[in-house]
Amino acid sequence: MSNRYRALWISDVHLGSRDSEPQRLADFLAQNSADTVYLVGDIFDMKAVSQGRGSWCHASSLLLEMLSDLSTRVPEIIYVPGNHDAPMRSWAGKRLGNIRIEREWTHTAADGKRYWVTHGDQFEHHIEIHPVSYHIGDHSYYLMLRINRWINYWRGRFDKPWWSLANHVKNRVNAARRMMNKFEEVAIRETGRRGFDGVICGHIHRAGIRHSAARDQAITYANCGDWVDSMTAVVEEKDGALNILHWHRAPKIARIMTEAVAA
């Protein structure tokens, strides 16, 4: 039975990269729906393609067909591009079929709270990171994703759920934790400055919901996570509450994707 939410946010799918998991997202979308769906950036990885690191598979094409079909069945799909699909930002204010493209968006929840929807790459510009450290961290992350594919291949053979090596490491390395926490603090501060009750973003591939304060105002920070590593999404329940959904089960790709596109 499909779960229905008031709103659903996904980000960092990175279609076109070798690390994308379109079959898992297809499985998730086949089982979870919403009145409003937000694509919060880096849905495509145009950077990977331009740098020769791209890989487009049949599952990616089927997922696009599934999203296109979904856009005809839900009241609204809003696509807020990120830094890896930045060329799509030039389409802001236009529609791609039934999908509305915007640079950012304001979502009003059932409880009246106003959430700023943005990919979040702009917050990174306020964090001081040494270029060498950034370069090493970036390459280390992609290496962990490669290793993770093999780990989860064998876990799947033994009916074990998806496990994230990168998240395991990020949560235990002090420098990584400090950078992630700083990102959240910058996002919360800027959200308060703009007068929103909360922000829903992606970019750093770490899902989470955090309640804090800025300018004597309660602020909710929510991050969608990603679909290359953590397999997570943010949802709004009917009462306006935000939750994180983790989708770690192994997908039955042939059945799920074929039925979803044919429906």
Side-chain angles (χ1 to χ4, degrees):
M1 181 179 293
S2 176
N3 300 309
R4 184 93 183 174
Y5 300 95
R6 190 169 182 272
L8 164 68
W9 291 262
I10 59 174
S11 74
D12 297 274
V13 183
H14 291 273
L15 289 175
S17 79
R18 298 186 182 97
D19 305 304
S20 184
E21 292 282 340
Q23 69 277 20
R24 293 182 184 275
L25 179 54
D27 183 41
F28 172 82
L29 291 174
Q31 301 299 318
N32 298 275
S33 59
D35 299 330
T36 304
V37 175
Y38 292 93
L39 307 175
V40 195
D42 289 0
I43 304 304
F44 301 98
D45 198 327
M46 297 175 181
K47 270 190 175 182
V49 174
S50 66
Q51 294 171 1
R53 296 187 289 107
S55 176
W56 192 269
C57 61
H58 183 56
S60 297
S61 296
L62 290 176
L63 177 61
L64 287 186
E65 290 182 47
M66 186 178 189
L67 288 171
S68 177
D69 175 68
L70 183 65
S71 72
T72 67
R73 293 185 286 107
V74 301
E76 189 90 87
I77 293 186
I78 298 172
Y79 177 11
V80 178
N83 56 309
H84 282 259
D85 49 11
M88 297 301 296
R89 287 172 171 166
S90 65
W91 284 49
K94 300 178 181 178
R95 289 184 177 270
L96 190 62
N98 292 314
I99 299 174
R100 181 173 185 166
I101 303 174
E102 299 290 347
R103 289 293 296 263
E104 56 185 23
W105 194 251
T106 300
H107 174 80
T108 303
D111 56 9
K113 291 182 178 178
R114 295 170 63 252
Y115 291 96
W116 177 26
V117 181
T118 180
H119 179 63
D121 52 298
Q122 70 271 38
F123 303 139
E124 192 176 81
H125 302 323
H126 299 279
I127 304 173
E128 292 186 5
I129 307 173
H130 193 281
V132 174
S133 298
Y134 183 88
H135 183 75
I136 292 173
D138 192 47
H139 280 267
S140 297
Y141 178 68
Y142 284 111
L143 175 61
M144 284 188 285
L145 290 181
R146 303 289 188 278
I147 297 170
N148 216 52
R149 282 210 302 268
W150 285 103
I151 292 173
N152 282 298
Y153 169 77
W154 288 106
R155 286 178 66 86
R157 294 289 296 268
F158 292 96
D159 294 322
K160 298 289 185 181
W162 181 271
W163 179 77
S164 171
L165 171 64
N167 276 334
H168 179 80
V169 171
K170 282 188 288 188
N171 289 329
R172 285 160 178 76
V173 175
N174 288 336
R177 281 207 312 271
R178 284 196 300 270
M179 191 201 75
M180 300 289 182
N181 291 339
K182 183 64 176 176
F183 179 92
E184 293 177 7
E185 290 163 9
V186 171
I188 289 167
R189 185 171 65 246
E190 182 62 17
T191 300
R193 189 185 71 80
R194 290 176 175 239
F196 290 100
D197 297 297
V199 60
I200 301 173
C201 61
H203 188 58
I204 60 171
H205 294 206
R206 185 173 79 166
I209 295 177
R210 171 179 170 181
H211 302 286
S212 189
R215 296 172 174 255
D216 298 321
Q217 177 189 357
I219 300 293
T220 298
Y221 165 91
N223 195 297
C224 308
D226 64 89
W227 288 88
V228 299
D229 185 32
S230 52
M231 314 304 161
T232 51
V234 172
V235 294
E236 181 196 347
E237 307 285 354
K238 296 301 181 182
D239 62 358
L242 298 184
N243 286 313
I244 299 287
L245 294 187
H246 298 265
W247 203 251
H248 291 166
R249 73 181 198 176
K252 294 179 174 60
I253 178 172
R255 177 178 63 79
I256 290 295
M257 300 194 82
T258 301
E259 288 179 359
V261 171

